Amino acid sequence: MRLSKKDQGVIERHEDFGEKIGGAKKDLWKERGLYVEDLEAMNEREADKFVKKDNIWKKPDYEAMLDEGIPLGVAYYIKKARDALSASPQYSYSDSTPEKRLARQKEYIKTVRELQRAVSEVRTVEDAIKAYDRFFVENGYFEPVQGWASGPHYKATEKARKNPAITNKLSNTLFVRTEGQFDREFTKKAQQEQFGVPKEQKVPRGYEIRYNDGQHTYSRNNDWKPGTYYVTKGYSIVRTNFETRDAALKWVQELAKSRSKSGKSRFVPPQLTHIKRSGPDYRSGMDIKGQHYLDTFGFRGGEFGNWMNRNDRQSSLNMGFEALKDLASALKISDKDIAYQGALAIAFGARGSGNAAAHYEPLRRVINLTKMHGAGSLAHEWWHGLDDYLGTRMGAKGMLSEQPRLYAPFQKLIETIKYKTATPEQSAALNQAQKERTRQNAARWLDSLVLNSLKQYGTEEQIKTYAGLKEAFLSGEAGAVKQISALKKAAAGRVIPKSERDRLEFWEQALAGMQAEEVPQPRQIQTDFYRNSLRMGKDFEKDGGYWESNTEMTARAFACYVMDKLPGDSDYLVGHAESAVTFVAGRDGEPEILKAFPEGEERKAINAVFDEIVAELKREQILTHSNETLPLGAQALAENEQLSLFPRERPSVVGRVAAIKEAGKAAPLMAVPEKSHGPVL
């Protein structure tokens, strides 16, 4: 039954439920940096991601050091010493097990901390000279030995040889023996690199601001005023006659900024203002609690963001529960398959900022749905989780879509998403374009071997003859190359070299074959979905690779697949399935619509492959077939019949279907109006 408003008002706020997921933004180690003992709370994936120099030894505030009176060269020395360390642990070929990688990570953290202690005490040039021994000798990496020349000599110990973080680069950076050397290598280089200069005062890289004293300058129109500043780049003067250095600085900063601007902005789908859903009342009129997620779907845990109030949490629980039930119904799978039999966790606004889109975290196998943008992306993120889960099962190092050859149905999916068979008209146009390119390449090659000689030594008549023979050659006429070679000999006294004649005769045969081809062969071309995804990446990414990746394209296609499988609306599940659409400039400069999701026949073909994948996963008992998705209450009657992912004794499909039908008769589904609306975010 549905609780009254009075009863709802006394319900305590929903808290995190199930197993603690860990690794959330609110649980990460703080500003102190990473220590060896912090690895105890991390799994293997997290350790690989977080054991980095920047997480162990936080980047120092060099400007604050200078404000405290530390000399410029000393602060720069500390920076270069830190920079000389590798950004993350370096693994050897023998580090082949998780235990060995963990040991290497611990060694790396310890080494970074040792260097941090050694150089953080440097405050003078004298301290810098002592830092070498303080780090290398006192920590047992080097030992002093007697040398034949003057000055100290060192020998690397076994400890140093086995530690990849101890490098020649680090040794050469720390090695300082005189004040003169320190001044050359650190103080002067710091000045050249504008180290410690505030960002707003820096001259952009490659430019210089100089002063015109009136003694060594010249301008053609005598319009270069003495006592002014000018900007140069390399050996070129970019602009002159700035009254102040600040004016010149501001101008050159704006110039550099305008030239480096990519003009790209990140694509963010519009936020859903209303959440529509039509379908069975899977909640049986009840407000959902975290325990329902544990009992119904088998999630191993769930979290809420600290900033989510009670109403936010309740709305998210209700809408998420209904959406996941819709997903199970669309795929005809068991409720327990939704959490991959306990492998998945879920979070609502707990693992990112409220303005960020929903996302899946492979490190902790958790789906995070933010209050602002999570609605509409649940199917998309659920696919990422399944992609990751299957990757682990199939032996992939990451998502299975990134290594689809490990599983034939996924390979077929990627091929269907990216390529399709061209129509006869498209094939004919492509073949004609290829023929034209081949003719142009062959013509350029022939001209480079013959035409210049004819123009220099031949007659007008011979040049006209060449034009006719050239056309015969481009038409694939047999013997044309021999005739052209003879023509060149008659005009210039030498034939075309044999190696080049052989290449031209190869062209001649290829051109003849093209002419003989009557029916164009079917061609494989990029799908509109793939081509548009490439364009989306080009226009909305700085570096590219996201929109057209296998991982993202399969997730967007899956959301559309689920949308097509649903009998009604389920916006919380697939409201953003078709949101990857924008306007771009066409070839003629006019705006045109760009859709980075599958449509039409391409979508039908992709959906058919998803059908095959789901059916195959059920045959392999990775997913469990279920004809009916039951609401709360009725579900309890059938829960003893639920199949597990790895059942010891798997009941027959016929028996399972019969049990579900019997349970369905005992507790019929509750229908809701087709156009009902859910809560407003």
Side-chain angles (χ1 to χ4, degrees):
M1 68 176 189
R2 186 178 297 277
L3 296 174
S4 67
K5 291 184 178 179
K6 179 180 178 181
D7 292 332
Q8 291 178 5
V10 297
I11 296 177
E12 62 184 45
R13 191 173 83 154
H14 294 282
E15 301 296 341
D16 297 350
F17 51 91
E19 173 189 321
K20 183 175 177 61
I21 299 172
K25 186 175 180 181
K26 60 185 179 181
D27 296 324
L28 292 176
W29 20 263
K30 307 300 179 182
E31 292 300 318
R32 63 171 172 79
L34 190 66
Y35 283 87
V36 170
E37 52 266 28
D38 292 314
L39 297 182
E40 297 175 3
M42 294 185 181
N43 59 37
E44 184 180 345
R45 283 183 168 187
E46 286 181 306
D48 284 341
K49 178 177 180 179
F50 292 125
V51 177
K52 309 288 184 192
K53 176 174 60 180
D54 287 346
N55 293 331
I56 303 165
W57 181 1
K58 300 294 182 180
K59 185 178 179 180
D61 187 343
Y62 298 112
E63 291 186 18
M65 288 183 182
L66 298 174
D67 292 340
E68 292 171 7
I70 295 178
L72 177 67
V74 171
Y76 187 69
Y77 174 84
I78 295 173
K79 177 185 184 300
K80 298 304 288 184
R82 184 180 180 279
D83 291 349
L85 278 172
S86 60
S88 58
Q90 303 300 299
Y91 302 99
S92 65
Y93 182 77
S94 61
D95 295 330
S96 54
T97 66
E99 293 77 17
K100 290 181 178 180
R101 288 179 67 87
L102 179 61
R104 188 69 74 193
Q105 290 160 354
K106 290 180 178 179
E107 175 190 65
Y108 177 77
I109 293 174
K110 183 179 178 183
T111 305
V112 174
R113 287 295 182 188
E114 289 170 343
L115 182 64
Q116 182 184 18
R117 285 192 293 271
V119 302
S120 293
E121 298 174 3
V122 175
R123 289 295 179 269
T124 65
V125 176
E126 291 75 16
D127 292 337
I129 293 173
K130 297 175 183 177
Y132 190 90
D133 284 0
R134 191 156 52 241
F135 173 70
F136 285 111
V137 178
E138 293 180 12
N139 289 308
Y141 295 115
F142 289 176
E143 57 185 12
V145 296
Q146 183 64 42
W148 294 102
S150 60
H153 292 261
Y154 299 90
K155 177 183 177 182
T157 63
E158 186 70 10
K159 179 181 179 181
R161 288 192 290 271
K162 290 185 176 181
N163 188 340
I166 305 302
T167 61
N168 287 334
K169 179 181 179 181
L170 180 59
S171 174
N172 293 336
T173 300
L174 291 183
F175 191 82
V176 179
R177 281 296 168 255
T178 66
E179 291 187 7
Q181 176 195 355
F182 186 90
D183 184 61
R184 290 191 305 273
E185 296 183 2
F186 297 99
T187 303
K188 289 183 177 178
K189 284 188 178 180
Q191 293 169 345
Q192 293 170 359
E193 295 181 12
Q194 302 181 81
F195 174 73
V197 176
K199 183 179 180 180
E200 62 274 12
Q201 293 297 320
K202 282 189 176 181
V203 178
R205 184 185 296 272
Y207 295 91
E208 289 187 56
I209 297 177
R210 301 185 180 185
Y211 180 71
N212 175 13
D213 59 7
Q215 298 180 15
H216 305 288
T217 57
Y218 164 80
S219 62
R220 180 178 298 175
N221 299 322
N222 199 29
D223 55 359
W224 193 353
K225 302 175 185 177
T228 59
Y229 293 85
Y230 61 102
V231 175
T232 65
K233 185 175 185 182
Y235 295 102
S236 301
I237 297 175
V238 182
R239 187 165 175 176
T240 61
N241 293 333
F242 290 100
E243 294 296 332
T244 65
R245 188 182 186 281
D246 286 344
L249 176 63
K250 183 178 180 181
W251 181 86
V252 73
Q253 287 175 338
E254 290 296 326
L255 175 68
K257 184 178 179 181
S258 66
R259 289 185 175 179
S260 63
K261 235 178 195 179
S262 66
K264 296 181 181 179
S265 58
R266 180 171 173 262
F267 177 86
V268 179
Q271 177 189 337
L272 298 179
T273 56
H274 291 78
I275 307 298
K276 289 196 303 181
R277 181 181 178 273
S278 58
D281 180 8
Y282 291 121
R283 295 190 285 119
S284 299
M286 292 189 293
D287 278 333
I288 297 300
K289 298 180 181 180
Q291 191 63 39
H292 289 116
Y293 278 73
L294 302 177
D295 296 341
T296 302
F297 304 117
F299 281 102
R300 72 172 200 276
E303 288 181 346
F304 297 98
N306 291 330
W307 51 274
M308 292 185 76
N309 60 38
R310 182 173 65 82
N311 290 335
D312 292 337
R313 296 181 181 210
Q314 188 61 70
S315 295
S316 296
L317 285 170
N318 288 350
M319 291 187 293
F321 185 88
E322 291 171 331
L324 292 171
K325 279 283 194 176
D326 286 339
L327 177 61
S329 176
L331 300 180
K332 295 188 181 302
I333 59 175
S334 161
D335 287 339
K336 289 294 190 290
D337 288 336
I338 291 297
Y340 326 130
Q341 302 293 328
L344 185 66
I346 193 166
F348 299 96
R351 313 177 72 81
S353 64
N355 292 324
H359 62 276
Y360 169 75
E361 292 181 25
L363 294 180
R364 288 285 174 172
R365 293 192 170 94
V366 54
I367 291 174
N368 181 65
L369 302 167
T370 64
K371 175 184 174 184
M372 301 299 292
H373 291 94
S377 301
L378 183 52
H380 181 114
E381 302 306 330
W382 187 85
W383 171 264
H384 282 323
L386 182 64
D387 191 0
D388 185 32
Y389 175 72
L390 294 176
T392 300
R393 285 182 61 98
M394 305 296 176
K397 294 182 178 179
M399 303 288 186
L400 182 58
S401 60
E402 295 172 341
Q403 301 177 57
R405 296 186 185 280
L406 294 175
Y407 190 53
F410 261 56
Q411 181 64 29
K412 183 177 180 181
L413 176 64
I414 299 302
E415 291 172 354
T416 307
I417 280 176
K418 290 186 175 181
Y419 302 103
K420 64 182 179 181
T421 302
T423 64
E425 295 77 15
Q426 289 173 325
S427 293
L430 289 169
N431 282 2
Q432 185 58 41
Q434 182 177 354
K435 287 179 181 179
E436 189 57 34
R437 286 194 299 270
T438 303
R439 282 174 55 89
Q440 290 175 359
N441 291 336
R444 281 194 294 268
W445 188 258
L446 181 65
D447 285 343
S448 69
L449 295 172
V450 179
L451 190 55
N452 286 338
S453 295
L454 292 180
K455 287 180 178 180
Q456 184 175 359
Y457 302 108
T459 64
E460 289 292 332
E461 187 63 30
Q462 288 173 322
I463 292 177
K464 288 181 180 179
T465 302
Y466 169 70
L469 291 174
K470 176 181 175 181
E471 188 56 39
F473 165 71
L474 295 176
S475 299
E477 185 177 312
V481 173
K482 292 181 179 178
Q483 295 181 62
I484 294 171
S485 182
L487 177 65
K488 180 179 179 181
K489 182 177 182 181
R494 55 184 179 276
V495 297
I496 299 173
K498 185 178 184 308
S499 61
E500 303 301 340
R501 282 203 314 274
D502 291 343
R503 183 173 297 188
L504 287 173
E505 287 174 351
F506 173 81
W507 281 107
E508 184 179 270
Q509 294 171 7
L511 291 164
M514 287 168 44
Q515 296 298 325
E517 187 182 55
E518 295 181 359
V519 180
Q521 296 298 315
R523 301 282 294 269
Q524 288 295 107
I525 61 173
Q526 290 180 346
T527 60
D528 295 339
F529 178 30
Y530 185 33
R531 189 173 62 255
N532 289 348
S533 296
L534 289 165
R535 177 69 188 273
M536 189 72 87
K538 179 181 178 182
D539 286 2
F540 292 98
E541 290 180 73
K542 183 177 180 181
D543 301 318
Y546 172 82
W547 282 92
E548 69 271 24
S549 67
N550 291 352
T551 300
E552 288 304 318
M553 289 188 69
T554 54
R556 295 200 301 278
F558 179 77
C560 292
Y561 168 71
V562 173
M563 173 182 278
D564 294 343
K565 285 286 183 181
L566 291 169
D569 296 319
S570 187
D571 284 352
Y572 197 81
L573 180 65
V574 294
H576 277 154
E578 297 181 339
S579 66
V581 55
T582 188
F583 284 99
V584 296
R587 292 183 177 180
D588 57 0
E590 294 297 318
E592 60 183 36
I593 297 176
L594 180 69
K595 298 179 180 179
F597 57 86
E599 288 188 300
E601 293 301 318
E602 292 180 5
R603 184 150 160 173
K604 290 179 183 178
I606 294 169
N607 284 355
V609 181
F610 275 122
D611 280 337
E612 294 177 17
I613 289 175
V614 173
E616 183 66 23
L617 293 176
K618 290 174 182 177
R619 280 194 293 271
E620 296 179 10
Q621 300 184 23
I622 295 174
L623 294 177
T624 305
H625 185 85
S626 179
N627 279 328
E628 204 166 14
T629 301
L630 302 176
L632 291 176
Q635 176 184 337
L637 299 175
E639 65 181 358
N640 292 330
E641 298 296 328
Q642 293 286 334
L643 297 179
S644 65
L645 183 62
F646 304 110
R648 294 182 180 177
E649 296 182 5
R650 179 177 175 86
S652 69
V653 174
V654 174
R656 172 162 172 71
V657 170
I660 291 175
K661 286 183 176 179
E662 195 64 32
K665 292 177 182 178
L669 297 178
M670 299 177 65
V672 297
E674 184 178 354
K675 294 298 182 181
S676 63
H677 288 68
V680 177
L681 284 186

